[in-house]
Amino acid sequence: MNYEQVLTYLYERLPMFQRQGKVAFKKDLTNTIALLEALGNPHHRFKSIHIAGTNGKGSSAHAMASILQAAGYKTGLYTSPHLKSFTERVRINGEEVNQDYVASFVTRNTELIEQINPSFFEVTVALSFSYFADQQVDIAVIETGLGGRLDSTNVITPVLSLITMIGFDHADMLGDTLEKIAAEKAGIIKPNIPVIIGADQPDLQHVFRNKAAQVEAPIQFATTRVKSVSESLLEQVFDIKRDQQEDLKSLKTDITARYFLKNLPGIYESIEVLNRNGFSISDEQFRIGLSQVKRTTGLKGRWQILSESPLTIADVSHNEPGLSVLLDQIQAHTSGSLHLIIGMVKDKDVKKVLQILPPDAHYYFTQSDVPRSLSSEDLQRMAGEAGVSGGAFKNVNLAIDEARKNARSSDLILVCGSTFVVAEIEGL
């Protein structure tokens, strides 16, 4: 099979959470373990960093990879979902996995796949681990997909685990309280492997402390202070202060989404732990890596500028905590009206998101072309019940066209609410 045939095979034959939702989620690691054993356990042949969390794990993973690359390490990066191309999920030093490798891997393992009958995500994990092993990476940064404890990536024994902010997401599968969700994320904590808890959430600390104590893992709650100095559409400038150490001043990052600053304490202290465990990453390499995350790793969909007149921004924020920060930042960057294009999936807490939307914006409700997508008409109806009105559009590009017709040059157009809506923007 060639690359296109392989993708068709994977999408049509294997259950895929991004498209089907809960029915594609398998609550054990049996298939992943069986796949990897048949492949010679490639995940045992490279070092790794494991990252879980509700918000911030993707951008943290990209930032960690960029910093490690700046320090000269051959760095693998596994993230999900992809926006435009399947190959975005698997990168080495920012370069996406070769399409020929994807085609070859699936073709030669078709019999194994049909014997085990894994999910789409389980095959993707196995492919990425095989690729990193074959390419002999120095280190791979691995982002969990859903949860942590039962996530397919949770077969690795990393050199470090990082857990970012915990919020309400996938509550129907991970638990209906923050404590239950945190317990699932804490499942990546491994015996004797250091773990950094990046977010300042005191009410959840006992969950992580208990899990770390059970497996005798050194645990560290990030206390680094990050102070924003300035922000523009292209970069953020900030200072880092760490107890008993000199400050790092005037650092820059090209991740211009304001919520990214909340991830920096965990990222910074993760680098400290790596340096205590055999790695060599200088302050200057840390500075360089953060300044070029998008350029180095190909990160998309985080405060991504699509055009400048009117200013049009796409962001994959899709739950209440992330959208709250995003909307605050948006208000600081427009002198005109806000045109908000939003689409969501059925299994999110749609009502909670609708409650935080600014009442004075112009709304364009849309949907993506995946089965999990909430129809634009249903979203429009629910928004109306919450006191927010606007038009319904079957495709995000139609919504963008309409917003551009209506917007003045001083206005701002924001596309958000679902990764899958952002993914369907033409030319992203």
Side-chain angles (χ1 to χ4, degrees), residues 17-21 169-170 318 342-351 353 366-375 379 382 416-421:
F17 176 79
Q18 277 75 24
R19 296 187 62 82
Q20 298 166 258
D169 212 356
H170 304 299
H318 56 268
I342 186 169
M344 300 194 71
V345 291
K346 300 171 185 175
D347 49 20
K348 298 293 183 185
D349 194 339
V350 178
K351 291 182 179 179
V353 168
T366 189
Q367 64 191 68
S368 64
D369 189 29
V370 299
R372 285 175 62 206
S373 183
L374 182 66
S375 75
L379 182 56
M382 295 176 71
C416 65
S418 168
T419 300
F420 310 110
V421 164

Side-chain angles (χ1 to χ4, degrees), residues 355-407:
Q355 289 170 0
I356 67 169
L357 297 181
D360 56 346
H362 303 280
Y363 284 92
Y364 309 75
F365 302 105
T366 189
Q367 64 191 68
S368 64
D369 189 29
V370 299
R372 285 175 62 206
S373 183
L374 182 66
S375 75
S376 56
E377 290 86 357
D378 284 345
L379 182 56
Q380 181 189 43
R381 174 184 53 79
M382 295 176 71
E385 294 170 355
V388 177
S389 62
F393 300 84
K394 293 289 187 182
N395 179 279
V396 65
N397 297 295
L398 296 175
I400 292 173
D401 288 343
E402 184 65 20
R404 284 176 172 161
K405 289 177 186 176
N406 298 332

Side-chain angles (χ1 to χ4, degrees), residues 2-225:
N2 62 29
Y3 176 71
E4 288 73 21
Q5 291 169 329
V6 158
L7 288 190
T8 300
Y9 172 81
L10 292 177
Y11 290 146
E12 292 183 353
R13 189 185 190 285
L14 306 181
M16 183 180 181
F17 176 79
Q18 277 75 24
R19 296 187 62 82
Q20 298 166 258
K22 189 174 180 178
V23 295
F25 179 54
K26 297 187 178 180
K27 292 191 173 183
D28 64 68
L29 301 175
T30 305
N31 286 347
T32 304
I33 292 169
L35 272 173
L36 292 172
E37 284 183 346
L39 295 169
N41 289 318
H43 57 304
H44 294 166
R45 307 207 314 265
F46 58 86
K47 294 179 180 178
S48 60
I49 296 166
H50 208 187
I51 303 180
T54 304
N55 287 349
K57 61 186 170 72
S59 52
S60 293
H62 282 82
M64 290 288 291
S66 182
I67 293 164
L68 286 161
Q69 288 170 229
Y73 293 98
K74 186 176 183 179
T75 306
L77 176 62
Y78 175 75
T79 58
S80 64
H82 62 269
L83 286 177
K84 286 298 184 183
S85 170
F86 173 86
T87 54
E88 293 171 23
R89 294 170 177 251
V90 187
R91 301 173 187 265
I92 295 177
N93 284 356
E95 294 293 325
E96 297 177 19
V97 61
N98 188 285
Q99 291 184 1
D100 290 341
Y101 186 94
V102 175
S104 173
F105 177 88
V106 175
T107 300
R108 69 176 182 268
N109 290 298
T110 299
E111 184 176 338
L112 176 65
I113 291 169
E114 296 183 354
Q115 174 188 339
I116 296 174
N117 197 32
S119 69
F120 176 92
F121 188 77
E122 288 166 333
V123 170
T124 305
V125 168
L127 183 154
S128 67
F129 291 175
S130 293
Y131 185 61
F132 295 152
D134 289 346
Q135 296 297 311
Q136 298 180 330
V137 298
D138 297 318
I139 184 80
V141 182
I142 310 295
E143 177 198 13
T144 62
L146 178 65
R149 181 174 65 94
L150 299 174
D151 188 79
S152 296
T153 63
N154 201 29
V155 294
I156 59 176
T157 302
V159 297
L160 169 71
S161 301
L162 169 63
I163 299 177
T164 63
M165 198 207 81
I166 306 300
F168 285 105
D169 212 356
H170 304 299
D172 55 334
M173 290 174 282
L174 302 181
D176 56 4
T177 68
L178 287 181
E179 286 191 351
K180 290 178 181 178
I181 295 171
E184 289 297 317
K185 309 290 185 181
I188 72 166
I189 300 176
K190 300 290 195 308
N192 303 308
I193 303 299
V195 57
I196 301 292
I197 309 301
D200 182 18
Q201 296 179 283
D203 292 346
L204 299 178
Q205 286 190 5
H206 68 282
V207 177
F208 301 117
R209 289 190 193 279
N210 290 343
K211 176 61 178 180
Q214 288 172 15
V215 299
E216 299 182 345
I219 186 168
Q220 181 172 320
F221 293 88
T223 58
T224 297
R225 295 181 292 283

